Amino acid sequence: MSTRVPFKQVDVFTSCPYKGNPVAVVNCWDVEEKTIQQATLQNIANWTNLSETTFLFKPTDDQCDYKVRIFTPMMELPFAGHPTLGTCHAYLEFTGRQNVDKIYQQCGLGVIELSVLGKTISFKGAKAEVRQVQSDLARQYDTSLSTTFITQPLLLEVGPQWVVALVENAQTCFDMNVDMALLKETITKHKDATGLIVAGKYPGAEKYEMRAFAPTHGVPEDPVCGSGSLALARYLQELYGFTSNYAFEISQGGRLGRQGKISAQVLHAGRDITYHVGGECISVINGEFLL
Amino acid sequence: MSTRVPFKQVDVFTSCPYKGNPVAVVNCWDVEEKTIQQATLQNIANWTNLSETTFLFKPTDDQCDYKVRIFTPMMELPFAGHPTLGTCHAYLEFTGRQNVDKIYQQCGLGVIELSVLGKTISFKGAKAEVRQVQSDLARQYDTSLSTTFITQPLLLEVGPQWVVALVENAQTCFDMNVDMALLKETITKHKDATGLIVAGKYPGAEKYEMRAFAPTHGVPEDPVCGSGSLALARYLQELYGFTSNYAFEISQGGRLGRQGKISAQVLHAGRDITYHVGGECISVINGEFLL
């Protein structure tokens, strides 16, 4: 169509530029959604070469602040964590809205509730299902690490399906090496699993070092992983049975030269438990995009 | 350092947005090069996730128009084709220079001469060495395709080291499928080779369909390949022994949803033969970058 629209490339889950997880946000607020072909959106997402590119539209649902469509280089996704945070950050900057504490995002999965507190934006995760991992598979996951699990791995369905387990502590998690061939074989055999999340606690702090591996999806190690953080929060609730609110921090990506920082919360409201994942965002690129 | 500098993300080798090969160009003209750490440049190139990110500086060599440093997500390169064309295009837009026919680029490899003709920018390739490919390896390359070579493959050293050969015609080249496991094994065995370039001529036109495969470098198929085009031009000179100027077009990337269009020339000046590769460029993103 050859028009120039506002654009940002946002670094998510970090307060230090180039150290988080990037997302490209194309602002299509003033463009009729139906005038842009699906193939054009897909071509753009293929071209940016980022894990996700998002397109911001006027909402069609009255209760929402904006609508977003999320694309990987290969396909459209109903929802994804870090692209949601980056898009919300871009929306707030584009509109200049301030002193907002709740934002409602319309996307393929439905309405996502976002909270804004200072520089941190968080999303409320959809319900996560928990499933057991067969003992022979659990052993094989364990064998693929240069260390051993200290908890029983579980399969967490949070959109992607992550196998989650803890190792001795944060340093063990940071230092461990992975037999990627064996891990890939194990995930392939498991069928249901997207990949493996391993975390270790920092002594004396409500903080975990986390690493995420998805070799069968072309991502041997993911630098900063929103859905993996959601899975870890749900896993800790299962493990420790918190009966009141629990907030913790996750550090990720150090082994890949990143410094991802994720804030996670398990919130209790009566019998209802919700899971929240958030972080800071920085707009590294501001400009216009040729649509 | 937290300053905002001009930025462009340029689509190279195409006249149709998102259909070429992108490069990110960070304009550091007003920044002292020594004040930016190498690690920062590398972090940025890792973050953009493009095959190359370039940094434009004031030249330190008086005969040059600008200096460029070129980074992949993993390392700095002395030279690369499509990043050179994208950077030159960005330089011309940043400075507003018009009616220019020659531009001299300072980079790790030395001084690169660029020609500007209408919308097309071309670079003059460094001398390309030609080497034979052992017959058992040549056979194995051939076997990795669903078609057969009609010419003897040769190894062309143009920076990367491409094995080049022709197949029957353009359609054969477009349609062929590759046994990627066998090709990977062959390239690994060959040791010297970066990858394989296959081309087929369009009937009745000085135009080739080209495909580039570099599976051992994490690029099973490259959408639009500048150095591969240079290797093909050199190969055709070897094959046909042109005694006067020869210009041809290359189409690439169709199987990957791209529409790369490359102009190649073999120029004769007395006994001196030079090789030139060029294309059109489009600035898809214009803006500022947080440095």
Side-chain angles (χ1 to χ4, degrees), chain A residues 145-166:
Chain A
L145 308 181
S146 64
T147 181
T148 53
F149 295 146
I150 60 163
T151 57
Q152 191 63 32
L154 293 172
L155 184 72
L156 279 294
E157 302 189 15
V158 292
Q161 307 198 83
W162 292 108
V163 174
V164 183
L166 299 184

Side-chain angles (χ1 to χ4, degrees), chain B residues 86-129:
Chain B
T87 303
C88 181
H89 173 81
Y91 165 79
L92 292 173
E93 285 194 349
F94 282 134
T95 57
R97 283 186 66 180
Q98 289 184 325
N99 306 318
V100 187
D101 61 350
K102 294 282 179 203
I103 290 286
Y104 295 90
Q105 166 178 294
Q106 181 183 357
C107 60
L109 201 67
V111 179
I112 304 292
E113 180 189 306
L114 290 140
S115 304
V116 184
L117 185 64
K119 289 184 174 180
T120 299
I121 304 174
S122 307
F123 67 88
K124 182 170 130 182
K127 191 165 167 54
E129 297 295 330

Side-chain angles (χ1 to χ4, degrees), chain B residues 210-228:
Chain B
M210 185 175 94
R211 293 172 66 188
F213 307 98
T216 60
H217 285 71
V219 186
E221 181 160 4
D222 189 18
V224 199
C225 183
S227 66

Side-chain angles (χ1 to χ4, degrees), chain A residues 68-138:
Chain A
V68 67
R69 293 180 63 186
I70 304 171
F71 286 75
T72 74
M74 301 302 288
M75 63 176 140
E76 184 166 8
L77 300 178
F79 175 76
H82 99 272
T84 289
L85 299 181
T87 303
C88 181
H89 174 80
Y91 164 79
L92 292 173
E93 285 194 350
F94 282 133
T95 57
R97 284 185 66 180
Q98 288 184 328
N99 306 317
V100 187
D101 60 352
K102 293 285 178 201
I103 291 284
Y104 295 90
Q105 166 177 295
Q106 181 184 357
C107 61
L109 200 65
V111 180
I112 303 293
E113 180 190 307
L114 290 139
S115 305
V116 185
L117 185 65
K119 289 184 174 181
T120 298
I121 304 174
S122 307
F123 66 89
K124 181 168 127 183
K127 190 165 168 54
E129 296 296 327
V130 183
R131 288 162 59 188
Q132 299 299 313
V133 177
Q134 281 184 352
S135 59
D136 59 325
L137 281 169

